[in-house]
Structure formats: C-alpha cells, structure tokens
Amino acid sequence: MQKRLLLLFRYPGQQLNSSEIKTFISDIEIKLRGQLSSIKDIKGLEDFRVQALGKKSELYSVLRNIGELPPEERKLAGESVNKLKTILEQEISVLEAELKKKAGAERLIADAIDVTMPGEYKRLGALHPVTQVMEEIVEIFKPLGYSVVHGPEIEHEFFNFDALNIPADHPARDMQDTFYLGADTVLRTHTSPVQARTMMQSKPPIRVLSPGKVYRSDYDVTHTPMFHQIEGLYVDEGIKFSHLKGTLLYFAKRMFGQDTSIRLRPSYFSFTEPSAEVDVTCVACKGKGCRICKGTGWLEILGCGMVNPNVFKHVGYPESTTGFAFGMGIERIAMLKYKINDLRLFFENDARFLRQFS
Ligand code: DAH
C-alpha cells in the first residue's frame, strides 16, 4: 500500500493526470473485488469491511492525503474514492444479507429434528383382566334391566350366613374357610350377602348385580385367599325356573359365543331351592371332550337357583315371593374365556401377563 501511495503522491505539487488517478483507484477496486468474491462467511466479511473501508485502509489513506494532490485532481480523486466506497458498502451489505441467510439455513439444517427417529413412548396401562371381565358381565346383563349394587367386604355374620339360611352349625362357617375378624364379623366369603342387604333396603321388583371381592382361606392353582364374584338377583311376581334358565343361556352365548349351550345339574345351596350348577360348552373343544373339560365337553361356570323362601322370611318378605339368584367367580370366567391355567397369575402383577389384556 505504501508503495502504491508513494506512486500516487510521488511528486508533491506535480500535476498528476486524471487517468493515472483513475488507474490507481481502479487497481484498488480490482484488488478489493477479488477479495470480496472469495469471502465465505460473516467473519470474513467483517474483516474485509475493516480492511477495505476502515481507518487503515488504502481508500481512507487516499482521502487523508488528498490535500497533497494538485487542486484540479482533488475533486476527481475524492469523487472516485467516494464512489468506490459507496459501491463497496452496497456490495458488502448485499453479501452480508446472503451470508446471513445461508448461515440461517445451515443452522436450521443443523438443528433440524429428525421426525423419523423412534419416539420415546410411555406405555399406556390397561384395566386388569378381572376388571375387564367384570365390566363385560355387567354390560351383558344391563339390557335385561339389571343395575349394579355394592355391599361391604367386612360383613356381619348375619348377612354372610344367617340371612342366607346358613345355620350356625353349617360347615360353610368353618374357621378353615372363613376369615373371622371378630366374634360375629367376617371377611365376606361370597357376594350373596348383598342379596339380603338389597332385599332389606328395597321392595320387588328387584333386578341387581353385585360384583366385588370375596375372601376364603385357601391357596392353590385354582384358589386364592381373595378373588372376585358377581351375584345376580331377580325378585318379582311369578318368577319361574325357566326365566332363570333363559337368562343364563342368554348370558352364556353373549360371554362365550353364540354356539355355546348350557346344561344345569341339580345341586345344593342353602339360600336357593331348587339349586343348580350350570355348565357351558367347553370353550376349548366345543363339546367334543378334551383335557380341559376332562373329556366331558362341559365346564362349570356358576351356581344358581330359586331364592329359598327361608331367605325371604329372613329379610321380611312374604314367603310367597318368587325370585332367582345366581353367583359366579369372575376369575373362573376370565380363565375360561382367555384359556388361563393358573388363577394366581391374576394377582402376581407380572406386566408381561397383564400387557396381553391391553
Ligand atoms: N354364593 C355361592 C358361592 O359362593 C354362589 C352362588 C350359588 C350364588 C347359588 C347364588 C346362588 O346366588 O343362587 O359358591
């Protein structure tokens, strides 16, 4: 730079002709444009701005030393330098905008989210299979006009036994089966006490279902100390055994499929008379006979019967009242429906087991 400036101001007082000044400035322009065209980023552009237009730049030196030029050339030199300055400033700002845009685009790409990456996903829980089956049973009975009622799990002996015509010396009261909490308080051994409670609280017609937990001192592949039952009770004028049978056939078909049949075997429950146990067509072999149904083609699902007049007497109804009742184990229904062979699986809370029902 020094050399070029010397060239320009070599002969102080000497008339420099216009074309020499023009050439000098245009040399600077060519050099600066060359530099400008190779700038790649904002940092480079900032450096260039300082170097080309700043206080130490060649162009600035020309302006500073302009007084030494012959008066005739001062104007030309001043104008040429200012023109070049303006052009360079414009080009710098155009390039600056371009570089900023490019940098922005590059940042967008660098920061971009890859929407094809597998997301972090929280597994949703689901209702326990016992709850699902319980709700399904309730849904099946709803169209028949049944509503849901609940009773306490800590129950008075009267409702759990006496009101249901189970006398004090009955083996069902045996300490080995029943969890006694006090002299006359038990963990209910079945949902049947809700029958008695409902009848004492309301008048016929009664159509109720009562699902819930029950407790018995038992533990093996098909017994756990806590399990679930659902009780059904229909009390009205003129209720016959055929109503019970029709209701249960409807339920069995809805629960296990339209090709399901039922059969009733005479049985004994102190709170129903007559009583029956109900079997459905084996879900595995469809009645042909297999290991699951022990070759019979049938699987037992519930107990039922016509409400014993003694029960009506206990709850203060006339003995001529008619009604039927039924009760079933929910886990048993779930085991048959989903072909589960160990009752205890329901209560071990193994996520791999439970996940299959979500
Ligand atoms: N409570 C009986 C049990 O736990 C089941 C049962 C049988 C309920 C017959 C009923 C019924 O309502 O009529 O084994």
Side-chain angles (χ1 to χ4, degrees), residues 239-251:
I239 298 299
K240 300 194 205 100
F241 200 90
S242 53
H243 296 136
L244 170 60
K245 199 174 169 186
T247 301
L248 296 176
L249 180 62
Y250 158 80
F251 165 71

Side-chain angles (χ1 to χ4, degrees), residues 189-190 192 195 216 229 231-232 269 271-272 303-305 325-327:
T189 57
H190 50 178
S192 302
Q195 283 186 34
R216 285 180 204 176
Q229 283 188 339
E231 192 79 11
F269 298 101
F271 36 95
T272 43
C304 66
F326 55 88

Side-chain angles (χ1 to χ4, degrees), residues 156-351:
H156 198 284
E157 248 189 336
F158 172 78
F159 290 108
N160 198 80
F161 295 124
D162 299 87
L164 297 172
N165 199 34
I166 302 170
D169 56 359
H170 194 283
R173 296 206 183 190
D174 200 312
M175 290 284 283
Q176 274 160 12
D177 302 333
T178 308
F179 288 114
Y180 274 84
L181 299 178
D184 49 14
T185 318
V186 299
L187 285 178
R188 66 178 181 188
T189 57
H190 50 178
T191 45
S192 302
V194 190
Q195 283 186 34
R197 285 181 172 274
T198 307
M199 286 191 275
M200 285 175 95
Q201 279 161 21
S202 49
K203 296 230 147 354
I206 290 172
R207 246 174 304 177
V208 290
L209 287 176
S210 189
K213 290 181 166 62
V214 299
Y215 303 85
R216 285 180 204 176
S217 182
D218 229 341
Y219 189 67
D220 61 36
V221 185
T222 51
H223 298 87
T224 47
M226 185 282 297
F227 61 104
H228 298 78
Q229 283 188 339
I230 189 160
E231 192 79 11
L233 175 70
Y234 190 173
V235 182
D236 203 352
E237 272 171 36
I239 298 299
K240 300 194 205 100
F241 200 90
S242 53
H243 296 136
L244 170 60
K245 199 174 169 186
T247 301
L248 296 176
L249 180 62
Y250 158 80
F251 165 71
K253 285 179 178 293
R254 285 283 306 270
M255 192 74 211
F256 298 107
Q258 285 303 317
D259 54 352
T260 305
S261 308
I262 59 169
R263 80 171 179 184
L264 278 69
R265 287 178 286 105
S267 184
Y268 174 80
F269 298 101
S270 52
F271 36 95
T272 43
E273 182 59 36
S275 301
E277 272 169 336
V278 178
D279 299 342
V280 290
T281 314
C282 176
V283 292
C285 66
K286 296 291 170 196
K288 285 196 207 80
C290 66
R291 246 176 358 133
I292 294 180
C293 59
K294 298 194 181 83
T296 64
W298 296 97
L299 295 165
E300 188 198 320
I301 59 158
L302 58 82
C304 66
M306 302 307 289
V307 179
N308 192 314
N310 284 337
V311 174
F312 288 137
K313 203 162 77 183
H314 276 297
V315 300
Y317 282 9
E319 274 178 70
S320 59
T321 314
T322 54
F324 64 70
F326 55 88
M328 61 188 120
I330 296 173
E331 286 85 354
R332 172 143 183 91
I333 303 289
M335 285 172 83
L336 296 179
K337 192 174 166 83
Y338 297 116
K339 306 191 173 67
I340 296 162
N341 56 16
D342 189 339
L343 175 67
R344 292 169 294 196
L345 281 168
F346 287 118
F347 307 114
E348 283 164 356
N349 288 330
D350 185 330

